[in-house]
Amino acid sequence: MALARKRQICLSSTKYYHCVSRCVRRAYLCGEDVLIGKSYEHRRGWVEERLLFLAKVFCIDVCAYAVMSNHTHVVLYVDDKKANRLTDKAILLRWFKLSKMTPLGQKFLYGEPLSDGQQVFLNKEVAEYRSRLSSISWFMRMLNEYIARRANKEDECTGHFWEGRFKSQALLDESALLACMAYVDLNPVRAKAASTPEQSDYTSFKKRCQSMKESKQPKVLARFIGGMSKYKSKGIPFEFKSYLLLVEQTGRCICTNKPGFIEHHLPPILERLNFEPEKWLTLTTHFENLFHGAVGRVGAIENYCSKTARRRRSNSINSRLLFAS
């Protein structure tokens, strides 16, 4: 039985989550329908544009993403502290970029006086929007509903576009975060949709590589902040250049018909994480198949399950085998 979303998202355990949405139709989310000869490739741009727009509005950062032919991957960081710091005005301005302005919100933003009763209702409204702006469920809802409506309009049809709700995985430590990001960034290479990660259209890796030419990090994506001693602060706790090298070298190990092997030349970040080459390759080529639910070291999983009142530790065996203790 599927767990309730509120039991899957536990910000006291981690603020990093991997979310996957799959299309229900044979005609694909994007790509080309060979039966009718129609291309839906342009919809990749819809997803990327909407995703990066939402990242500017929500208090949620995008660490990695890949828009595939029939599904999307996103790795998200929930910045709930930022949502709590924002003023009431800032909260309303952000939310009204996503929906129509309410009468009370309009009066407040235009500086019109409010009665005591109206102020009470406005406070409840702001509190609800503040909660939504740091909610992964609302983030994914605003992404998927928008794409579904636009695709249905283009296809001149109604009905489900996505295969149920999105799937989410908690990334409980830096090892799980790094493995998942590499897994997401290498999706097009594994699917033979691109020969190299930097040529993979509609992915975070390509966007980062484009910004790297100007010695910058893209403002629309979560920033790499360096050493893992900073893991508790906002950002991705790795060196940017080391991560790029890591993804490239890992991608070279992926063969079309069988797993490859990792060369003896390893980027420094693997040494810091104490990953063994064979285990790293397994993680970054079979991440979804190996893990269902929260991912991390055994201790992190035990703590997460305790906080979310779960009895079953479904990933403990693979975590013990593949993650260093």
Side-chain angles (χ1 to χ4, degrees), residues 109-128:
L109 292 177
Y110 289 169
E112 300 178 12
L114 300 174
S115 66
D116 292 342
Q118 288 176 326
Q119 187 63 53
V120 170
F121 282 106
L122 178 67
N123 291 341
K124 292 182 179 179
E125 187 177 309
V126 171
E128 176 63 24

Side-chain angles (χ1 to χ4, degrees), residues 25 28 70 99 103 113 143 147 162 171 202 227 240 251 297 299 304:
R25 293 182 187 161
Y28 298 100
N70 63 351
S99 65
L143 172 63
I147 299 302
W162 299 102
L171 306 175
Y202 309 111
F240 181 40
R297 293 185 174 92
Y304 174 77

Side-chain angles (χ1 to χ4, degrees), residues 51-89:
L51 177 66
L52 298 179
F53 166 72
L54 292 176
K56 296 178 181 178
V57 177
F58 278 77
C59 297
I60 294 177
D61 296 335
V62 177
C63 300
Y65 68 88
V67 185
M68 304 301 293
S69 62
N70 63 351
H71 66 284
T72 62
H73 289 273
V74 291
V75 178
L76 303 174
Y77 171 85
V78 182
D79 192 357
D80 55 327
K81 292 182 179 180
K82 179 179 179 180
N84 292 330
R85 289 196 308 266
L86 292 176
T87 64
D88 291 353
K89 182 178 180 180

